[in-house]
Amino acid sequence: MGTMKFAHLMSVGIVVLSVASGCTAPATGQFSSPATTAAGSESAATPATSRVLAGTFVSQGAPTRGEVRITESPGMLMLTLTGFSTGAGDDLYINFNPGLMTRNASGDDVVENPNTIQVVALRAHAGTQSYDLTQVLPGLPEVRSVTIYSNKLREAFGTANLR
C-alpha cells in the first residue's frame, strides 16, 4: 500500500509538472531577459559607427584655402584635402591640434593648445589629396583643428577648425 501511494503521488507530480511546464514553455521561448535582448539586438542592428570631422582652412603665414575632412571608421582613418592650396614652401606637414584656432589680444590667429601631433608630410601645395592614416595613427586622437605647418620656417601656413 505504501508503494501504491508513492506511485500515485509520483504520477500526480509528473502531471502537475507537465502541465506547469507546458504552460510556461512557450513564454520562455518567446521572451528573453532584457539584458540578452538588448545586447543581441544592438549588435545585430547597430552598424559600425564612423565619425567625420571637417573644416575650412584660414590663412596664417601663407595664403591657404580649401576643406579638410577626417573620416574615422572601424579599421580606417582617412584625411582628405579638397579644393586645397597653400603657399610655396619646403618641409610642409599636416598637424593635428587638440585646441581650436582663435584670435589672441594682438589680433593674431593662434591655436589655443600648442601640443600638436605632426601627422604626415604634405604631398602637394594644391589640389585634392587623400591620406590613409590607418598605419600612421592607432586611432583618432583628440583633434579640434588641423594646421599646414612649415618645419623649415617654423610657421603655420593655415589652420582649419573642425566641427
Side-chain angles (χ1 to χ4, degrees):
M1 194 127 186
T3 307
M4 287 273 255
K5 282 187 181 182
F6 179 74
H8 178 69
L9 285 174
M10 285 297 288
S11 63
V12 170
I14 291 171
V15 170
V16 170
L17 282 174
S18 297
V19 170
S21 66
C23 292
T24 59
T28 304
Q30 292 174 1
F31 301 101
S32 56
S33 70
T36 304
T37 301
S41 62
E42 276 191 35
S43 62
T46 304
T49 58
S50 64
R51 179 168 59 151
V52 176
L53 301 172
T56 302
F57 281 102
V58 173
S59 296
Q60 288 172 282
T64 303
R65 66 179 183 88
E67 305 289 321
V68 62
R69 173 175 291 220
I70 302 169
T71 305
E72 178 188 37
S73 58
M76 186 197 72
L77 183 59
M78 184 71 68
L79 180 136
T80 304
L81 302 175
T82 308
F84 175 77
S85 69
T86 192
D90 295 328
D91 207 22
L92 297 180
Y93 283 83
I94 299 171
N95 291 353
F96 285 176
N97 311 307
L100 292 171
M101 182 179 68
T102 59
R103 191 153 288 171
N104 67 14
S106 303
D108 297 322
D109 290 323
V110 296
V111 175
E112 298 169 336
N113 184 339
N115 298 316
T116 64
I117 299 171
Q118 189 168 76
V119 180
V120 66
L122 187 67
R123 286 189 202 125
H125 293 110
T128 297
Q129 42 198 299
S130 293
Y131 300 84
D132 183 349
L133 303 178
T134 308
Q135 301 302 316
V136 177
L137 296 170
L140 187 59
E142 178 186 349
V143 58
R144 297 182 69 200
S145 62
V146 173
T147 298
I148 304 302
Y149 187 81
S150 170
N151 281 346
K152 184 177 181 179
L153 299 174
R154 303 187 86 185
E155 182 175 29
F157 276 30
T159 298
N161 285 336
L162 302 174
R163 55 192 180 286

